[in-house]
Amino acid sequence: MPSRPLRSQAPATAPASLPPGQRIYAIGDTHGCAGRLAALHEQILEDLAAHPVAAPLVLHLGDHVDRGPDSAAVLDMLRQPLQGLPVINLMGNHDRMMLDALAPGAPADAVALWLANGGSNTLHSYGASANDRDSWQKVSSSHLAWLRDCRTSFLAGGYLFAHAGIRPGRPLADQVEADLLWIREPFLSWPRPLPAVVVHGHTPAEAPEVLRHRIGLDTGAVYGGRLTCGVLEEASIRFLFG
């Protein structure tokens, strides 16, 4: 398998496989970039029209909110059916920070952590202000309920999908939310096989990373990079970019 990031949209051999007839469109960290997400969804629909498959699935890897310009619009978009396609939405660490900061009686440190990591941009997208706690009630309660229902991982074929990664040396069934949402090391530099190839976001890179044990799809859309979708099918991988 290649040890350098793949930069081409052309199909390549993947480090794991899916059952015949299944295709997963896995999208990296959106971070409030609603326009890019809409464009990527359009590409997915066009790709499916051109290359139909029996069992498609769209999967968002989490960090739907914070830092970018329109988190509220991203959550609105994700809550709507994508032309009847099955969709799975994972929770990211920013989604968890938002929920923790906006929970009744949230401790000051949870609020401060969220605001220091792009939460003020999310509030602004709802017409609220970080400096006016009374305005925080403008944040949609249905959006918060939707975030609470997001999964922390999803297993398909030889892949485990999680926002950040997993804790090496721990069985998949024993992984904990803190690692699934937050881990970097020792996961990123782990040199040996894992129980499944992990498809993740969380750690931005200039291009998608395809390694023996993991596939990284956060290409820093909120920092001016591309919003990346990894298209997994049987033993191949290719990419769409928004």
Side-chain angles (χ1 to χ4, degrees):
M1 289 309 302
S3 59
R4 293 184 178 182
L6 292 178
R7 299 175 183 272
S8 172
Q9 292 180 305
T13 302
S17 63
L18 292 172
Q22 185 175 20
R23 182 188 301 155
I24 296 181
Y25 295 91
I27 299 173
D29 304 33
T30 303
H31 278 303
C33 297
R36 291 191 175 200
L37 181 60
L40 199 49
H41 281 173
E42 251 337 283
Q43 288 194 60
I44 289 171
L45 295 174
E46 291 172 3
D47 186 76
L48 272 171
H51 310 286
V53 68
L57 174 67
V58 178
L59 188 145
H60 303 95
L61 284 165
D63 275 7
H64 315 298
V65 302
D66 295 348
R67 294 190 172 138
D70 209 341
S71 294
V74 166
L75 295 183
D76 265 338
M77 195 180 310
L78 294 178
R79 292 175 66 244
Q80 303 303 316
L82 186 57
Q83 292 199 9
L85 288 176
V87 178
I88 287 178
N89 301 293
L90 301 186
M91 183 180 293
N93 61 306
H94 281 263
D95 310 313
R96 170 51 66 193
M97 282 191 286
M98 180 179 178
L99 289 172
D100 291 346
L102 295 178
D109 59 346
V111 173
L113 180 66
W114 182 50
L115 294 179
N117 284 279
S120 57
N121 290 1
T122 297
L123 288 169
H124 183 74
S125 73
Y126 289 96
S129 169
N131 298 319
D132 178 8
R133 290 291 290 266
D134 289 339
S135 72
W136 294 16
Q137 63 185 332
K138 295 180 180 179
V139 176
S140 168
S141 59
S142 61
H143 286 185
L144 296 177
W146 182 89
L147 281 175
R148 283 192 291 270
D149 285 342
C150 287
R151 304 174 59 152
T152 55
S153 65
F154 176 71
L155 189 64
Y159 295 103
L160 187 281
F161 299 82
H163 173 67
I166 64 172
R167 176 71 56 179
R170 182 176 291 167
L172 293 182
D174 296 334
Q175 296 291 323
V176 299
E177 180 181 293
D179 287 329
L180 294 168
L181 270 58
W182 286 91
I183 196 168
R184 286 200 167 95
E185 296 298 348
F187 166 69
L188 294 176
S189 60
W190 188 252
R192 298 188 294 279
L194 293 166
V197 173
V198 181
V199 183
H200 67 95
H202 186 55
T203 301
E206 290 185 2
E209 297 180 302
V210 180
L211 307 176
R212 290 187 303 169
H213 68 296
R214 66 177 181 88
I215 298 172
L217 295 177
D218 181 3
T219 47
V222 76
Y223 302 117
R226 297 179 291 185
L227 183 61
T228 293
C229 173
V231 185
L232 299 163
E233 186 170 8
E234 297 192 0
S236 73
I237 183 169
R238 55 192 172 89
F239 300 100
L240 302 173
F241 299 102

